[in-house]
Amino acid sequence: MKEELKITGHRPFPLPDKPWVMEQIWNDVLFAHWPVPAEILEKHIPSQLTLDTYNGTAWIGVVPFWISKMRVRGLPPLPIMKSMNELNVRTYVEYEGMKGVYFFSLDADNFLAVTGARMLYYLPYMNAEMQVSKSQGLVNYESRRTHGHSENGQFKANYKSISSPFNSKPGTLDEWLTERYCLWVTKGEKVFRGDIHHTKWQLHEASCTIHQNTLASFLPRIYFKGEPILHYSPEKHAYFWPLIKVSSS
């Protein structure tokens, strides 16, 4: 068993009893989160799911990063699949007491991965043109959605770490925003869970200048006017399991 899979004490629920099916390394991860009134955000999640809040406030996150060493279990990394850039917009939900991530969109610049994730995971992946570079610790990230209306899917930012690494403390907002170990999706009336595993995030405080952000066009722009809460992590090795249907519908 891989070493990361032996470290499970930080998880809120056990690892699945079936084998993982994919692994990825996430690099230069930025978590940018803005508070949104729960009554506003809950209008945009499926009725089968319950919006998760921290002290009564909901949060929307924009998370840019790039992926390396992506591979399906039992196969070597394929040249056309082993790396890509990804940018997701998310909030937090629960179903029958199990808390996880709900994705509003996931932009990526790998057509095959986008197609596969839409078909196998029912996730709202979108094709995008993306450029990511790094110089003297500063990550330059730019994405323009080409899947549908690109004017509502653009993001440009520069970000970097500004602190030594730390682990979030139990019960804090830092932990609540980052330590999530499943995703929830719906298809019609059916509810599915996708399990994820990685070790606890080693976080850094971050600085970020956002030059353009039209990703969450379903929300009034006023909610993105304030300064976001920022976290950065240089690298994380993650494992994925196939979706399982959890609803009886």
Side-chain angles (χ1 to χ4, degrees):
M1 179 184 289
K2 293 178 178 287
E3 286 302 313
E4 295 91 345
L5 296 171
K6 299 176 183 178
I7 302 171
T8 61
H10 60 294
R11 292 178 56 89
F13 43 83
L15 282 174
D17 57 6
K18 296 182 179 180
W20 56 269
V21 294
M22 177 176 285
E23 64 177 322
Q24 301 176 354
I25 294 179
W26 301 333
N27 304 273
D28 291 319
V29 183
L30 176 73
F31 297 95
H33 285 97
W34 291 262
V36 179
E39 62 270 19
I40 299 296
L41 201 53
E42 66 186 357
K43 298 175 184 177
H44 300 282
I45 65 169
S47 60
Q48 303 97 313
L49 304 175
T50 301
L51 186 66
D52 191 14
T53 63
Y54 186 84
N55 292 338
T57 298
W59 292 80
I60 190 163
V62 173
V63 184
F65 59 103
W66 60 278
I67 297 169
S68 61
K69 298 183 180 178
M70 178 167 58
R71 75 176 186 94
V72 175
R73 186 182 182 123
L75 297 176
L78 301 175
I80 58 174
M81 280 288 289
K82 66 180 181 180
S83 65
M84 70 176 187
N85 302 310
E86 184 170 319
L87 169 65
N88 62 60
V89 179
R90 56 196 255 180
T91 192
Y92 306 102
V93 299
E94 60 179 287
Y95 182 82
E96 295 185 345
M98 187 174 287
K99 299 175 182 290
V101 177
Y102 177 76
F103 292 103
F104 295 109
S105 64
L106 306 96
D107 291 77
D109 60 356
N110 186 310
F111 177 81
L112 185 59
V114 167
T115 303
R118 291 178 70 92
M119 291 177 58
L120 298 176
Y121 278 80
Y122 312 134
L123 287 167
Y125 267 87
M126 307 285 182
N127 294 301
E129 294 178 351
M130 309 174 83
Q131 294 84 40
V132 182
S133 62
K134 190 174 183 180
S135 176
Q136 297 181 331
L138 183 69
V139 181
N140 305 294
Y141 204 105
E142 188 169 357
S143 178
R144 184 179 69 85
R145 188 176 298 161
T146 58
H147 197 129
H149 301 294
S150 60
E151 68 271 14
N152 288 330
Q154 299 189 58
F155 181 81
K156 184 177 181 180
N158 315 109
Y159 58 90
K160 65 179 181 179
S161 163
I162 57 170
S163 79
S164 56
F166 66 94
N167 290 121
S168 61
K169 295 179 180 179
T172 62
L173 181 59
D174 294 332
E175 180 189 57
W176 189 91
L177 292 170
T178 57
E179 298 295 334
R180 300 281 169 160
Y181 295 92
C182 74
L183 59 89
W184 292 103
V185 294
T186 60
K187 184 174 177 61
E189 295 300 314
K190 298 176 182 177
V191 179
F192 297 84
R193 188 182 79 242
D195 286 287
I196 305 164
H197 178 71
H198 51 73
T199 57
K200 189 176 177 69
W201 283 101
Q202 190 172 67
L203 301 170
H204 298 244
E205 295 176 7
S207 67
C208 178
T209 301
I210 298 176
H211 304 283
Q212 188 175 26
N213 177 18
T214 60
L215 292 168
S217 58
F218 56 89
L219 287 177
R221 302 314 300 171
I222 189 174
Y223 295 119
F224 295 95
K225 295 295 185 182
E227 292 295 321
I229 289 181
L230 300 170
H231 299 93
Y232 168 83
S233 186
E235 182 181 284
K236 183 56 64 182
H237 200 151
Y239 299 85
F240 299 80
W241 279 258
L243 284 185
I244 58 171
K245 188 176 78 167
V246 296
S247 67
S248 58
S249 300

